Amino acid sequence: MATATPVAPKTVDLGPAAALSCRECGTRFPLGPSFACVECFGPLEIAYDFGSESAEELRKRIEAGPASIWRYAPLLPVPADVASKPNLNPGWTPLVKADNLGRELGFTAQLHVKDDSGNPTHSFKDRVVACAIEAARAFDFTTLSCSSTGNLAGAVGAAAARAGFKSCVFIPHDLEQGKVVMAGVYGGELVGIEGNYDDVNRFCSELIGDPAGEGWGFVNVNLRPYYGEGSKTLAYEICEQLGWRLPEQIVIPIASGSQLTKIDKGLQELIKLGLVEDRPYRIFGAQAEGCSPVSAAFKAGIDVIRPVKPDTIAKSLAIGNPADGPYVLDIARRTGGAVEDVTDTEVVEAIRLLARTEGIFAETAGGVTIGVLKKLVETGQLDPSKETVAINTGDGLKTLDAVADAGLTATIRPTLDSFRAAGLASA
């Protein structure tokens, strides 16, 4: 009787990524499309072997790299030749010196806005999808998918189209029309689910275990450990753009909480690799009042995140049961930061404030961040005498309804008399 020949496991080239490691118990697993520890059900994240390159050599290699997140390929779970593959090549977005906004809010130190609306699909989600798609290639997936509050759906659709993958993405049925159109234009399948984001996410988790989802890479579920690492590039860029130094304070919006936790991970990696000087920094989280379970837990001094049903115009942050919420609390408390929330009215006011002072039109998530920044200064939780970075994650053209009353100042006849009569002439 013939004996079956054992099949050797496929060699996976994801650069310095060495293993998956449980954030709770530390158990390590081989690289693969897994997101939960089989020992304790804790979340998995990437463990690295960065090698023995000196900080000076690594810094020079980064600075000589492309003007995209791939300049940081030596620190990401991607192959060394990633920049040559079909990808959207996001990143290296502006770090804007927000002097006008700073003066209005009472800053005496430099205030910056990291404006990620300049990414290919106009949100930071292009960063995380770019990393996830390399894992999808490595694991031979044929279809890219996700559960999304809007921006991720567009990022997956665009990246899949560029890279030659099929795509099928799932969103709540009542998203802003701008995000629906942007997600649907790339030619993949776009499916609305009756319910909120948490309902969509539960459905996707069920689909992963069903034969109907075979060959599918869900970027924020079974590829989540790789996907999440894309957010570290915000930390890398901010520090490099500051001249290889840590910001003293940083304000970050919270949806699932992954962006905030991965920015902190990125800052810690830069410190350990000797690329920046180790010094204290404070991290602040921003939520909308209508979906603020992390803020509520922080203010109550508890560690348990109690899920809520979202009710806010900031739909891209409307995750009522944020997976990384407990870790956000840990980071805010460890760094001496805070988690705060603002009303929908304050969100709209903040969108207008950022547009009026810095010419940056933010979507509602950016309004949450700037609104919380303003509130943190007013309540004394954030120090305006320390260098601060606030992150704008997306473009206001995606959430036009929030400021739909903006428009014409006046309608006049094409005559100077009509112009003057409207009170528009200079004194």
Side-chain angles (χ1 to χ4, degrees):
M1 183 176 178
T3 304
T5 303
V7 178
K10 179 186 175 183
T11 301
V12 175
D13 176 14
L14 289 173
L20 295 174
S21 177
C22 177
R23 197 186 295 181
E24 291 294 328
C25 70
T27 302
R28 288 167 73 102
F29 304 91
L31 295 172
S34 303
F35 62 98
C37 176
V38 298
E39 300 293 331
C40 72
F41 303 107
L44 298 179
E45 59 183 11
I46 308 295
Y48 291 94
D49 179 2
F50 289 130
S52 57
E53 189 174 21
S54 72
E56 182 179 355
E57 291 171 334
L58 179 56
R59 188 181 293 113
K60 288 180 179 178
R61 183 146 66 107
I62 290 171
E63 291 173 346
S68 72
I69 64 170
W70 304 136
R71 67 198 288 113
Y72 308 110
L75 308 179
L76 296 171
V78 296
D81 64 348
V82 62
S84 67
K85 297 178 181 293
N87 203 297
L88 292 181
N89 302 320
W92 204 241
T93 55
L95 184 68
V96 178
K97 287 186 175 181
D99 295 336
N100 297 328
L101 177 61
R103 278 193 295 272
E104 186 132 344
L105 297 185
F107 273 81
T108 55
Q110 184 66 59
L111 173 64
H112 306 265
V113 173
K114 179 61 170 170
D115 185 13
D116 240 27
S117 65
N119 277 310
T121 69
H122 307 287
S123 90
F124 92 96
K125 291 295 187 181
D126 290 319
R127 297 175 182 270
V128 290
V129 172
C131 288
I133 206 167
E134 295 309 314
R137 283 192 179 108
F139 303 137
D140 294 328
F141 288 122
T142 57
T143 299
L144 282 186
S145 187
C146 69
S147 53
S148 174
T149 56
N151 284 325
L152 181 57
V156 167
R162 175 71 61 84
F165 282 81
K166 297 176 182 178
S167 69
C168 182
V169 299
F170 300 90
I171 60 174
H173 69 288
D174 59 349
L175 282 186
E176 303 98 335
Q177 186 62 20
K179 290 182 179 177
V180 173
V181 171
M182 189 164 190
V185 75
Y186 301 108
E189 304 291 343
L190 178 64
V191 181
I193 300 290
E194 296 177 356
N196 59 31
Y197 173 80
D198 298 296
D199 297 316
V200 178
N201 201 39
R202 279 192 295 271
F203 169 78
C204 288
S205 297
E206 292 176 11
L207 184 55
I208 287 174
D210 189 273
E214 185 176 353
W216 288 34
F218 288 80
V219 299
N220 56 342
V221 188
N222 58 352
L223 294 177
R224 189 174 184 84
Y226 312 91
Y227 158 95
E229 295 297 281
S231 287
K232 295 190 311 182
T233 60
L234 278 162
Y236 299 157
E237 286 182 23
I238 288 168
C239 290
E240 184 178 357
Q241 289 168 329
L242 288 175
W244 292 108
R245 72 172 190 273
L246 297 168
E248 293 177 284
Q249 300 175 136
I250 184 166
V251 186
I252 306 166
I254 298 170
S256 71
S258 176
Q259 184 188 70
L260 187 149
T261 62
K262 290 303 187 290
I263 287 175
D264 179 64
K265 183 182 181 184
L267 297 177
Q268 289 296 310
E269 286 176 351
L270 293 180
I271 293 169
K272 291 173 184 175
L273 290 165
L275 292 171
V276 297
E277 179 183 352
D278 187 4
R279 69 176 188 179
Y281 61 85
R282 303 171 72 199
I283 288 183
F284 298 84
Q287 291 200 292
E289 186 181 86
C291 186
S292 54
V294 186
S295 175
F298 181 86
K299 292 175 182 178
I302 59 177
D303 298 325
V304 177
I305 307 295
R306 295 192 174 96
V308 301
K309 184 176 181 180
D311 181 17
T312 173
I313 61 170
K315 294 183 183 294
S316 60
L317 303 183
I319 298 180
N321 188 18
D324 280 22
Y327 303 107
V328 169
L329 294 174
D330 291 343
I331 290 167
R333 289 165 179 160
R334 188 195 80 226
T335 64
V339 185
E340 188 55 91
D341 57 83
V342 285
T343 66
D344 282 356
T345 298
E346 290 171 314
V347 170
V348 173
E349 290 172 351
I351 292 172
R352 293 179 176 279
L353 173 63
L354 181 60
R356 174 172 58 78
T357 57
E358 299 299 339
I360 297 172
F361 183 19
E363 69 160 300
T364 48
V368 170
T369 304
I370 300 303
V372 165
L373 169 69
K374 181 175 183 289
K375 187 172 183 178
L376 289 168
V377 173
E378 292 171 346
T379 57
Q381 297 177 81
L382 184 144
D383 188 348
S385 70
K386 295 185 180 298
E387 186 174 46
T388 301
V389 176
I391 296 180
N392 174 43
T393 52
D395 194 320
L397 292 174
K398 296 185 177 189
T399 57
L400 289 172
D401 287 353
V403 288
D405 58 339
L408 297 174
T409 301
T411 300
I412 64 171
R413 296 185 303 278
T415 67
L416 289 174
D417 286 344
S418 181
F419 175 73
R420 293 189 181 97
L424 300 172
S426 58

